[in-house]
């Protein structure tokens, strides 16, 4: 069944608030076997709302509307829907009684315009709102289902979970299940080339890639019976993707790269120290977002100046003079020094030019060196990144987490 989410509210169009309702509804409906094909946003204008509603009714089986159910004159969702279906607005006495009881409970007068919240298109199924004054409703007509829910997420979400999801689960005998694979170190086009045969021949499950900054996510989606897990369809596809892409696949459960790297270290009880220059503590910040990281994260150094690199990490003056602060040699001495000072199993370091200034012809903006030191020595890698300062710093952090991840995996293989 094709579903569409139509959000009503001029404040959404003006960017005053974000349309988080559409994201939430779209993330939940697949569990009930429903795919969302369209999102729409329209202001508080009856003609434009009617135009959008007519388009939605033409192309979709299910329309879920949010917003426009309040007491003011610009709340016109129910009125417009009633006109579209050729139905009268009728008073729902139980909703009116609940409204009156609410205002009595909060010791506020109920003004005349509040009464409109108790009117609904005739033959609607009322959806109770236990967290606000605007009930929702559901209309079934000629194979179409239209659901109206209030705009505030604190009201919409409970109504969606308590009424809408059970309604669809009862009606449908299948569901849509997705797994998300996270991939780093290979571009979207190169990845698609390696998976082209699978993508071209897909039926059920389906494979869909989409890019994030510096990495790629693959969504593997299967349609299965509502009492099945879907794993029997999805797992063979995931295994084939892993076979083709190798260790570029860093997670099959939609985890972030920093989380995967940290979990590997925590599982092996490997302690780590960090030495950062151009990232300025970004790597430490990402790590400390992860619960339990204190068991293995010993300390972090932000050694932005040459003096700090020498005093805190023992980087040699000759190294800085001969090769520069942004160099393979400096990165390696930073990592070795951080490990020596902290007494950890491993240490990683970063030094680079994040821009927008500071680059040269020999070392342009985006030149970064990262290193990892362990008991066997030190390994390093040169990165040539592009983009603004924020992007370069973020990509550098991702490369460091990937270096840690691969090091930890090699310990298993060693």
């Amino acid at each position: 069944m094709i579903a569409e989410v139509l959000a009503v509210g001029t404040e959404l169009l003006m960017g005053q608030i974000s349309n988080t309702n559409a994201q939430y509804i779209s993330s939940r409906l697949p569990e009930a076997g429903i795919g969302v094909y369209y999102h729409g946003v329209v202001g508080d204008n009856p003609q434009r709302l009617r135009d959008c509603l007519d388009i939605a009714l033409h192309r979709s089986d299910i329309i879920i509307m949010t917003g426009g159910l309040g007491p003011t004159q610009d709340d016109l969702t129910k009125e417009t829907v009633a006109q579209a279906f050729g139905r009268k607005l009728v008073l729902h006495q139980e909703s009116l009684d609940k409204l009156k009881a609410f205002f009595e409970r909060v010791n506020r007068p109920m003004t005349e315009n509040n009464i409109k919240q108790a009117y609904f298109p005739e033959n609607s199924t009322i959806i109770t709102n236990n967290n606000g004054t605007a009930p929702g409703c559901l209309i079934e007509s000629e194979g179409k289902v239209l659901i109206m829910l209030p705009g505030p997420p604190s009201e919409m979400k409970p109504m969606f979970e308590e009424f809408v999801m059970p309604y669809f689960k009862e009606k449908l005998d299948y569901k849509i299940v997705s797994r998300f694979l996270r991939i780093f170190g290979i571009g979207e086009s190169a990845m698609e080339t390696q998976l082209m045969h699978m993508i071209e021949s897909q039926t059920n499950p389906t494979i869909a890639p989409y890019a994030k900054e510096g990495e790629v996510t693959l969504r593997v989606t299967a349609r299965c019976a509502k009492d099945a897990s879907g794993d029997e369809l999805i797992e063979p596809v995931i295994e084939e993707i892993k076979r083709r892409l190798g260790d570029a696949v860093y997670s099959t459960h939609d985890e972030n790269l920093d989380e995967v790297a940290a979990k590997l270290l925590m599982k092996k009880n490997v302690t780590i120290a960090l030495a950062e220059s151009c990232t300025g503590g970004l790597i430490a910040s990402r790590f400390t977002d992860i619960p339990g990281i204190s068991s293995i994260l010993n300390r972090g150094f932000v050694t932005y100046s040459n003096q700090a690199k020498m005093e805190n990490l023992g980087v040699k003056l000759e190294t800085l003079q001969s090769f520069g602060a942004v160099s393979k040699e400096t990165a390696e001495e930073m990592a070795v020094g951080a490990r020596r000072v902290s007494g950890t199993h491993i240490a990683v370091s970063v030094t680079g030019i994040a821009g927008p200034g500071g680059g040269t012809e020999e070392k342009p903006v985006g030149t970064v060196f990262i290193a990892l030191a362990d008991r066997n020595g030190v390994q390093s890698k040169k990165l040539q990144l592009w983009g603004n300062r924020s992007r370069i710093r973020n990509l550098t952090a991702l490369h460091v987490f990937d270096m840690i991840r691969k090091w930890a995996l090699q310990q298993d293989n060693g």
Side-chain angles (χ1 to χ4, degrees), residues 10-80:
T10 302
E11 66 276 12
L12 293 167
L13 292 176
M14 295 181 67
Q16 294 173 318
I17 63 172
S18 299
N19 187 15
T20 59
N21 284 342
Q23 180 185 25
Y24 180 83
I25 291 168
S26 291
S27 71
R28 296 291 292 119
L29 281 178
E31 187 179 315
I34 297 167
V36 177
Y37 283 39
Y38 307 101
H39 281 182
V41 180
V42 62
D44 300 301
N45 177 282
Q47 186 56 57
R48 289 194 287 270
L49 176 54
R50 178 62 188 270
D51 292 343
C52 289
L53 183 57
D54 287 343
I55 292 171
L57 287 168
H58 174 74
R59 66 189 180 186
S60 301
D61 307 301
I62 298 164
I63 301 96
I64 299 179
M65 304 179 70
T66 62
L69 302 183
T72 59
Q73 289 186 353
D74 63 351
D75 291 311
L76 299 168
T77 299
K78 286 183 293 187
E79 291 82 350
T80 306

Side-chain angles (χ1 to χ4, degrees), residues 309-353:
K309 291 177 177 66
M310 291 187 291
E311 291 181 357
N312 292 290
L313 303 174
V315 176
K316 299 182 183 68
L317 177 61
E318 311 89 82
T319 302
L320 294 167
Q321 291 176 336
S322 300
F323 303 102
V326 179
S327 64
K328 168 180 176 291
E329 290 77 10
T330 296
E332 290 180 352
E333 289 190 16
M334 288 172 65
V336 170
R339 180 173 181 268
R340 182 185 64 253
V341 171
S342 61
T344 53
H345 294 105
I346 65 171
V348 294
S349 67
V350 173
T351 182
I353 306 167

